[in-house]
Amino acid sequence: MAQAKPEAASLLREVEGWDSELCRRQLPAALPRLLISFSLARSLAPNLYSMYQLSDNWTEHICVLRILAERFLPHINLSEIEQEFFSKVLPKAVQLFDLLIYELSSQAKELTNENAELHMTLRSHLKTVVQLMEVLRGCVQHVCTMQESVPLEHIHSLPSSVLHMIKNTFIYCKDSESLYSDHLHLFADLLQSLFKETYALQKQLMELLDMTSVDSCAAEDSTAIMVSVIHTVLEICSAISVIDHALHANTWKFLIRQSTKHKSLIKNSLKHSAIVSGLCEGILFSFQSCLLLAEQMKGSETQENVDYKVFQRTVKLCRFFAVSLVHYTKEFTPFLVDSCLQLHQTYLQIYSKFPPSLHAAVISEAYRDEIAKGFLVALDPLLPSLLTFRPFVQAVLSKASALSPELHFAQCRLLLSVMDLLPSQPQEVQALWNTGSHFLEDRVPLFTALFSSLQQCSGELSLPVFLPRMMATGQAEDSVTLYHYVCIHLCAFVTSLSVSHFPLLERSLLETIVGSNMIITLLAMDVWCFLARFGTADLCAHHAFTIASLIRACPAGHYRVSLLGILLRRLLFLMAPDHQVEFVERFPPKEMENLVVWQHLSLKALMAPLRKQVAHELFAAGLAQGEEWLSSKGLLEELPWGNAALSALLSVCQTAGGTLEVEQQTALVRAAGQLLAVVNVTQVSNQPCLQQAVCSMFHLLEHCIQMVESQMLIQVLTLQNSLLQLNPPDHVLLAILDFLSSMGKLFIPPECQAQVLSKLSCLFASLLASNSWLIHQHALEAFVQFAEETSHEDIIPQCLSSEETKSKVVCFLSKGCRAEEMAEARAERMKEENGLFHHLMVEASAKRQRTAVLESSPKRTCYSPSERQYESAIDSAAGALATVKLLLQKGPPPTWLAKKLEALQATLSSLKDSTR
């Protein structure tokens, strides 16, 4: 070994004196000798942990490597450069590099202020690494100049070896702050030089790889090397993400470019999920940086500052990552099965942190627009590229996906964007989103998923948040509430829906209407009414008949009946006149069983002659049913049907009250008096059905207030005062307030004024002092109406029991309002309410499940089928047979028809026998 070193030194001194021509002639003889002297295996391994002894060896080896690269490499042909040079030199260079990095990392931890020798040694090693990077850059640069296209098989060893050193150098630079700690300033200049030289080496290598070609018929190892290159570059991206944004972006750009360039060869071997994950992480990190910068600048008056320039650069970085992700997704969509969940989550994370989400940072409108135009617009093409990809559909619509509360609003936006895109897609793609699946994939239809997510957005709907409405030109026209925005897009989607998907839409709308979220229920009703108007008159009639049949079939008093009743009430207004006549014929108001249907309807929807007929029949049937119920012994047992009768009478009063004669009003008051006589206050406070009956009675008396005698009025007010002491539900209090508001029209005889007015003032005083904002607001409205109409003005001061109540009434009359709530405070309150509503919904669902197990469903009283029902069934059967007859005239029947007709014949014979 001692003899080899002088020989190597002698050779180096000799070679340094050669010119280029002599180097070319001496290449065959000198190259092997220099490669031997560069070998690390024998000279360095024995002293692996003796850093001070290795310093001179490392400097010598860098000197040898530099001579090889600068004096002999230029004289080797490209076809021989791998075998003659790279395969022999680069492995030794990698060993040298690894040893240097190992020693630098391990010895840096021992640095102290007193150890000057270690300080100088570390600086020497850093310089050696910088020199190594310089020499390697010269090698790569030389290959770039050899020809325009470089076959990969000619430089096999170069990319992987150089990338290994680049990657670990960047990692070392990233960790240098923790490695050197308080001594970092002593090495900052060399670390900066090292970073710059490595940056230059990577840039040169990327230029070379862009020139590199991989023959489609090449050996498998060429493909494997290119795959390894891309995966190593991916690791470099991770290492430099927080070091230099420009380098980070350029490295990703190179990775995407190489992946698509060699797509046909490497597509089956790439770690697609890791690449997509890296891009998604880059997007989220840079996007979060944008929001933080925008939030910090929101108080700034001018945008000409350093922060704003950083903000602009960060927006551009977001845009770059978005464009890269879209491009990669389009190129490799079939290979992204494992990435669909992350793509979905990335989309949700972005839109959950961007206004108008309740969980977004508060930033100025100018910065919001800049982010939207610079970044979000670039991300928009991602969704269309995934629209036809089944695994992505499964990720978005999966029943099993449990989104955190802050992501539901973003999920709604995603689903609405899908709805906007689907009409231009083929039928099979539309079916993929609209039909759902109940088998292995277990996904729900698109509209069901939308309604489900909207139920979790009560805060956004109530605040409300605003979204831009787009004009036909694609420009934003103005902002609309979330409810309005969803309604517009959902109705537009309905117009493009295939006929085969309508049953699924109708089912989803029906399930939503009978759900537990009132705002979403109203939205589903709006969409259903749009569907009724958009479709044919026959479709509207069919829906109305179906809903009416459902109402009649539901258990009386069930909460879902009232929701279906609201829908039917709206549909009746949209029906054609001839269909309204048919509706009256199918559900005659004079029949007791149809009172449960008519109690929900407004007679104003009917034509004048039909309205008068229905009002007369409905009043007669309702009054007869009510009187029968009031005179029965099982008053509480038959209470649901009594409520149906009272509600039907109330419907007549509210929508056709002008047609009632004095005798009819007197009959109503008499029936109300009968109910008043048998009502027990304690029972009312405990039984919801009895509460409904009492509320109906208050509303009926409100419409016939002029017919109410003083003694009965005292009884009503006494009952109301007693109920008030038992803290009844809000709907009872609202019914009381409606009744009190009508009292202004009534003149009270002097002999009973004291009793009536004292009770009246107590009621108003208590209700005006209510802590419930709903009751308090209605109490103000009722009191003001009473005060404006009453002739008993002396009572007004008695109703205002405190100065606080007086000031609230004065404020209400002057249309004043309290201090406006700050936007941030309002958003926080809505977030809290979202959580509260979610908790209540979970509790209510669990309670309903327990009740369904422990209790049987309430049963309705059975009635014999009416003659009209028989007529309807027979007409339907006759119509079906007439259709079959018409088909037989147009062509030959199928073979199975004869057997089916024989079966029908047997059924008809059986039915005929049962009528005898």
Side-chain angles (χ1 to χ4, degrees):
M1 181 72 66
Q3 185 179 359
K5 287 186 176 181
E7 291 178 1
S10 174
L11 177 61
L12 288 176
R13 286 194 298 272
E14 181 182 354
V15 170
E16 285 177 351
W18 294 353
D19 59 14
S20 177
E21 179 59 27
L22 186 55
C23 287
R24 184 185 63 79
R25 290 200 307 269
Q26 293 295 330
L27 177 65
L31 186 59
R33 294 169 62 193
L34 287 170
L35 289 174
I36 291 172
S37 68
F38 184 59
S39 174
L40 295 175
R42 291 191 299 272
S43 63
L44 295 180
N47 302 313
L48 185 61
Y49 298 103
S50 179
M51 184 184 67
Y52 302 109
Q53 299 174 22
L54 291 177
S55 298
D56 293 339
N57 284 336
W58 286 340
T59 304
E60 179 183 336
H61 281 74
I62 291 298
C63 182
V64 173
L65 179 59
R66 187 182 296 277
I67 289 173
L68 286 169
E70 294 178 356
R71 293 180 174 268
F72 292 97
L73 181 61
H75 304 294
I76 303 175
N77 292 329
L78 181 61
S79 59
E80 300 173 351
I81 202 169
E82 170 64 27
Q83 183 178 355
E84 296 295 329
F85 189 87
F86 289 145
S87 63
K88 297 173 182 177
V89 172
L90 291 177
K92 306 305 179 183
V94 170
Q95 287 183 26
L96 173 61
F97 171 82
D98 288 343
L99 282 169
L100 282 165
I101 294 297
Y102 172 79
E103 291 296 339
L104 283 167
S105 300
S106 58
Q107 295 299 323
K109 300 173 184 176
E110 301 176 9
L111 270 173
T112 63
N113 292 330
E114 293 77 19
N115 197 337
E117 186 180 1
L118 180 59
H119 167 238
M120 296 303 297
T121 304
L122 286 173
R123 285 187 63 86
S124 174
H125 293 341
L126 282 171
K127 290 177 183 176
T128 303
V129 180
V130 173
Q131 292 170 3
L132 178 58
M133 296 294 117
E134 290 175 352
V135 173
L136 292 172
R137 180 161 61 91
C139 294
V140 176
Q141 192 171 16
H142 169 70
V143 177
C144 288
T145 62
M146 297 184 77
Q147 62 184 54
E148 291 184 0
S149 178
V150 180
L152 182 59
E153 58 266 25
H154 292 169
I155 55 168
H156 262 181
S157 306
L158 182 63
S160 55
S161 299
V162 174
L163 283 171
H164 169 81
M165 290 183 270
I166 290 172
K167 178 188 75 174
N168 287 287
T169 302
F170 282 140
I171 292 174
Y172 179 78
C173 290
K174 183 180 72 170
D175 298 338
S176 59
E177 186 173 356
S178 60
L179 278 173
Y180 292 98
S181 188
D182 296 337
H183 306 281
L184 180 63
H185 64 283
L186 300 174
F187 304 92
D189 57 333
L190 289 175
L191 288 169
Q192 187 175 12
S193 298
L194 177 59
F195 180 81
K196 287 182 178 179
E197 194 56 49
T198 309
Y199 189 171
L201 174 58
Q202 177 179 311
K203 184 177 180 181
Q204 193 66 61
L205 181 64
M206 290 192 298
E207 182 182 337
L208 173 60
L209 289 172
D210 284 337
M211 299 167 53
T212 302
S213 62
V214 181
D215 189 354
S216 59
C217 301
E220 291 183 3
D221 54 346
S222 294
T223 302
I225 288 173
M226 185 51 64
V227 170
S228 175
V229 164
I230 291 174
H231 291 164
T232 307
V233 172
L234 179 62
E235 294 174 10
I236 292 174
C237 288
S238 177
I240 63 177
S241 60
V242 295
I243 300 178
D244 188 286
H245 289 167
L247 174 60
H248 191 210
N250 287 332
T251 307
W252 268 112
K253 192 180 298 183
F254 170 78
L255 187 151
I256 302 296
R257 188 166 63 244
Q258 290 297 314
S259 298
T260 53
K261 176 182 176 182
H262 305 291
K263 174 182 175 182
S264 60
L265 296 175
I266 63 177
K267 60 185 179 183
N268 295 315
S269 304
L270 287 178
K271 296 178 181 178
H272 296 287
S273 58
I275 294 173
V276 170
S277 178
L279 287 169
C280 290
E281 289 171 5
I283 286 175
L284 292 175
F285 180 79
S286 53
F287 177 62
Q288 186 64 33
S289 299
C290 278
L291 295 178
L292 288 174
L293 288 166
E295 193 173 12
Q296 291 169 6
M297 295 186 296
K298 67 181 179 181
S300 176
E301 295 294 331
T302 175
Q303 295 181 341
E304 298 299 323
N305 53 52
V306 175
D307 284 345
Y308 180 64
K309 292 177 181 178
V310 175
F311 170 76
Q312 286 183 312
R313 288 198 298 269
T314 311
V315 171
K316 289 180 180 178
L317 188 62
C318 286
R319 181 181 181 87
F320 163 75
F321 278 117
V323 171
S324 299
L325 180 62
V326 169
H327 182 54
Y328 193 87
T329 301
K330 286 181 178 179
E331 291 289 338
F332 296 99
T333 300
F335 302 93
L336 302 184
V337 174
D338 296 333
S339 301
C340 288
L341 282 174
Q342 182 158 24
L343 289 168
H344 179 217
Q345 284 294 316
T346 299
Y347 188 100
L348 299 186
Q349 289 287 344
I350 290 169
Y351 280 95
S352 69
K353 296 175 182 177
F354 191 72
S357 170
L358 292 180
H359 301 271
V362 179
I363 61 178
S364 72
E365 190 172 346
Y367 297 142
R368 184 190 313 175
D369 291 343
E370 197 159 344
I371 293 174
K373 294 174 182 177
F375 164 51
L376 297 182
V377 169
L379 192 65
D380 285 343
L382 178 64
L383 189 56
S385 66
L386 293 168
L387 211 59
T388 62
F389 194 37
R390 184 179 290 270
F392 181 73
V393 180
Q394 174 64 22
V396 174
L397 301 180
S398 173
K399 289 181 181 177
S401 65
L403 299 178
S404 55
E406 68 272 13
L407 297 182
H408 283 289
F409 175 66
Q411 174 78 345
C412 291
R413 296 194 67 175
L414 170 60
L415 297 174
L416 289 168
S417 297
V418 171
M419 286 183 175
D420 293 342
L421 294 168
L422 273 186
S424 62
Q425 296 295 318
Q427 283 296 319
E428 56 269 19
V429 177
Q430 296 186 33
L432 188 64
W433 285 92
N434 292 334
T435 56
S437 172
H438 301 286
F439 299 101
L440 294 178
E441 292 178 318
D442 197 28
R443 66 176 187 271
V444 298
L446 177 58
F447 16 80
T448 302
L450 177 62
F451 285 128
S452 177
S453 284
L454 278 170
Q455 288 183 17
Q456 308 298 324
C457 297
S458 56
E460 288 85 354
L461 288 162
S462 302
L463 186 61
V465 299
F466 287 84
L467 291 166
R469 182 174 61 178
M470 306 304 290
M471 297 187 296
T473 58
Q475 298 295 319
E477 181 181 8
D478 55 8
S479 294
V480 295
T481 65
L482 174 61
Y483 185 98
H484 192 179
Y485 184 89
V486 173
C487 192
I488 291 172
H489 286 257
L490 195 50
C491 290
F493 179 66
V494 167
T495 63
S496 68
L497 207 59
S498 170
V499 175
S500 60
H501 299 157
F502 266 63
L504 287 170
L505 173 63
E506 291 167 345
R507 177 177 178 176
S508 179
L509 290 174
L510 183 60
E511 289 175 348
T512 305
I513 286 172
V514 297
S516 57
N517 189 301
M518 183 54 66
I519 296 181
I520 310 305
T521 293
L522 294 175
L523 175 65
M525 289 182 189
D526 284 343
V527 176
W528 199 316
C529 290
F530 171 81
L531 177 61
R533 295 193 68 178
F534 174 75
T536 63
D538 289 338
L539 178 64
C540 179
H542 170 70
H543 285 165
F545 297 152
T546 303
I547 297 301
S549 299
L550 283 174
I551 292 173
R552 193 167 58 181
C554 282
H558 199 285
Y559 79 98
R560 292 176 176 175
V561 173
S562 61
L563 300 174
L564 293 173
I566 295 171
L567 174 61
L568 181 60
R569 180 189 183 97
R570 295 179 64 179
L571 290 177
L572 191 63
F573 277 93
L574 303 176
M575 291 175 69
D578 54 331
H579 288 143
Q580 288 185 346
V581 173
E582 185 179 355
F583 184 88
V584 173
E585 292 174 352
R586 287 199 182 194
F587 304 95
K590 60 186 176 184
E591 294 182 4
M592 301 300 179
E593 65 176 353
N594 292 324
L595 292 180
V596 293
V597 176
W598 285 100
Q599 67 176 321
H600 302 287
L601 304 182
S602 170
L603 303 189
K604 293 178 181 178
L606 305 175
M607 299 174 296
L610 189 61
R611 184 190 313 139
K612 186 175 181 179
Q613 172 199 334
V614 170
H616 176 75
E617 294 178 359
L618 189 59
F619 183 87
L623 188 61
Q625 175 68 23
E627 290 175 343
E628 182 182 342
W629 165 62
L630 288 169
S631 61
S632 67
K633 294 181 180 180
L635 192 67
L636 293 178
E637 289 77 4
E638 297 183 12
L639 190 54
W641 287 97
N643 277 330
L646 292 174
S647 297
L649 291 170
L650 183 59
S651 176
V652 175
C653 291
Q654 289 174 334
T655 59
T659 63
L660 291 181
E661 298 176 357
V662 175
E663 292 80 4
Q664 292 175 316
Q665 295 184 40
T666 303
L668 277 180
V669 174
R670 184 174 60 250
Q674 289 180 264
L675 177 59
L676 193 61
V678 297
V679 163
N680 181 290
V681 176
T682 306
Q683 286 181 324
V684 173
S685 65
N686 296 328
Q687 297 194 30
C689 282
L690 196 54
Q691 290 170 6
Q692 182 184 346
V694 170
C695 289
S696 296
M697 177 188 70
F698 291 156
H699 287 303
L700 286 171
L701 291 175
E702 173 194 349
H703 286 281
C704 305
I705 191 67
Q706 299 291 353
M707 308 296 295
V708 180
E709 296 181 353
S710 300
Q711 195 59 39
M712 185 177 180
L713 188 60
I714 294 172
Q715 288 180 298
V716 172
L717 295 176
T718 302
L719 173 62
Q720 292 177 346
N721 270 291
S722 300
L723 285 173
L724 217 58
Q725 305 306 315
L726 299 176
N727 193 24
D730 285 353
H731 68 275
V732 175
L733 296 178
L734 293 174
I736 292 174
L737 284 168
D738 286 342
F739 175 80
L740 294 180
S741 67
S742 67
M743 289 286 292
K745 304 171 184 176
L746 192 63
F747 176 77
I748 302 167
E751 62 270 15
C752 57
Q753 279 186 10
Q755 282 184 286
V756 172
L757 295 181
S758 63
K759 295 181 185 298
L760 190 60
S761 62
C762 287
L763 284 168
F764 269 127
S766 297
L767 291 167
L768 284 169
S770 174
N771 292 325
S772 165
W773 66 267
L774 178 66
I775 301 304
H776 179 69
Q777 180 67 23
H778 279 268
L780 288 171
E781 294 173 2
F783 176 73
V784 169
Q785 182 179 342
F786 168 79
E788 289 175 348
E789 294 177 346
T790 186
S791 58
H792 304 282
E793 298 177 355
D794 296 342
I795 191 182
I796 293 177
Q798 300 174 31
C799 298
L800 306 176
S801 57
S802 67
E803 290 299 323
E804 182 182 2
T805 303
K806 289 179 183 177
S807 63
K808 288 179 180 179
V809 172
V810 171
C811 182
F812 178 79
L813 288 170
S814 61
K815 303 188 186 311
C817 62
R818 297 178 181 178
E820 187 175 352
E821 187 178 23
M822 297 297 292
E824 293 87 346
R826 188 160 58 247
E828 284 299 320
R829 179 167 57 82
M830 289 296 104
K831 281 193 279 188
E832 291 176 6
E833 288 185 10
N834 262 355
L836 176 62
F837 288 147
H838 178 72
H839 178 69
L840 291 175
M841 286 174 63
V842 171
E843 281 190 348
S845 176
K847 184 177 180 181
R848 283 197 299 271
Q849 291 177 359
R850 289 194 299 269
T851 304
V853 173
L854 297 175
E855 298 180 5
S856 59
S857 300
K859 296 182 179 179
R860 296 174 67 244
T861 307
C862 294
Y863 287 89
S864 299
S866 65
E867 182 179 348
R868 178 60 191 167
Q869 287 177 294
Y870 280 112
E871 290 177 357
S872 177
I874 292 298
D875 289 345
S876 298
L881 291 174
T883 302
V884 173
K885 183 178 179 181
L886 183 62
L887 292 172
L888 287 171
Q889 295 173 357
K890 293 183 177 180
T895 55
W896 48 263
L897 182 61
K899 292 184 179 180
K900 289 283 186 181
L901 290 174
E902 289 176 4
L904 287 174
Q905 183 64 43
T907 302
L908 288 171
S909 300
S910 175
L911 290 173
K912 187 176 180 181
D913 293 339
S914 64
T915 59
R916 294 172 181 171

